[in-house]
Amino acid sequence: MRKVLVYIAGPISKGDLAENIRQACEAGARLFLSGIPSIIPHLTCYLGQRRDGDGCIPETLPCETKVADWYEASLVVLGRCDAVLWLPGESKGADMEVEEAYRLGKPVFHYVADVVRWAERYPAA
C-alpha cells in the first residue's frame, strides 16, 4: 500500500486558539498511530517563537505575517497532499482549503476512521 499524506483543515483563529491546535494535533496523532502521515497547519502558530516563562506562546499570525500569506501557502501544501481531514468549527481558511481540495478532486473526510478506511484501499503507486 502506498503511504498517503493527509492535510488537516480546521479552525485556527476562530474560537480558542489552544483548543483548535489541540484538536488538530489529536487528529494528526491518531492518523500517525494508524500509519498515516499528516500536515497540521495549526502548528505554524509556533513559528514566531514568542516566549514566556513556560515556553512558546502560539500566535495566530506569527512573525507579523498576514492572513493572506497563510491562505496562499496552505493551498500550495494542500496541493501536495492526497486527502483532507476537515475538522469541525467555523473557519474561512478551512473552507477555502476544502473548496480547493474538491476542485483538485481530492477526497475530504470528517472523521479519522474514514481516512484510515480510505487509506487502506488507496492504490499503490
Side-chain angles (χ1 to χ4, degrees), residues 8 22-32 38 40 85 87 112:
I8 298 179
R22 186 207 60 75
Q23 175 183 241
C25 287
E26 180 179 297
R30 290 180 57 211
L31 287 170
F32 187 79
S38 65
I40 307 171
L85 175 60
L87 301 177
V112 170

Side-chain angles (χ1 to χ4, degrees), residues 7-25 40-43 45 60 71 85-95 97-98:
Y7 186 93
I8 298 179
I12 294 177
S13 61
K14 296 275 185 175
D16 182 79
L17 177 60
E19 176 57 23
N20 292 339
I21 293 170
R22 186 207 60 75
Q23 175 183 241
C25 287
I40 307 171
H42 301 70
L43 295 176
C45 291
T60 303
Y71 288 160
L85 175 60
W86 192 5
L87 301 177
E90 183 182 347
S91 171
K92 178 181 176 183
D95 292 348
E97 292 160 350
V98 167

Side-chain angles (χ1 to χ4, degrees), residues 92-114:
K92 178 181 176 183
D95 292 348
M96 289 172 45
E97 292 160 350
V98 167
E99 183 178 312
E100 178 71 358
Y102 286 135
R103 187 186 75 73
L104 296 171
K106 296 178 186 294
V108 175
F109 301 96
H110 293 278
Y111 302 100
V112 170
D114 292 336

Side-chain angles (χ1 to χ4, degrees), residues 66-90:
K66 295 177 179 54
V67 71
D69 300 331
W70 294 105
Y71 288 160
E72 184 178 337
S74 72
L75 297 182
V76 171
V77 173
L78 182 143
R80 288 165 171 78
C81 295
D82 300 298
V84 173
L85 175 60
W86 192 5
L87 301 177
E90 183 182 347

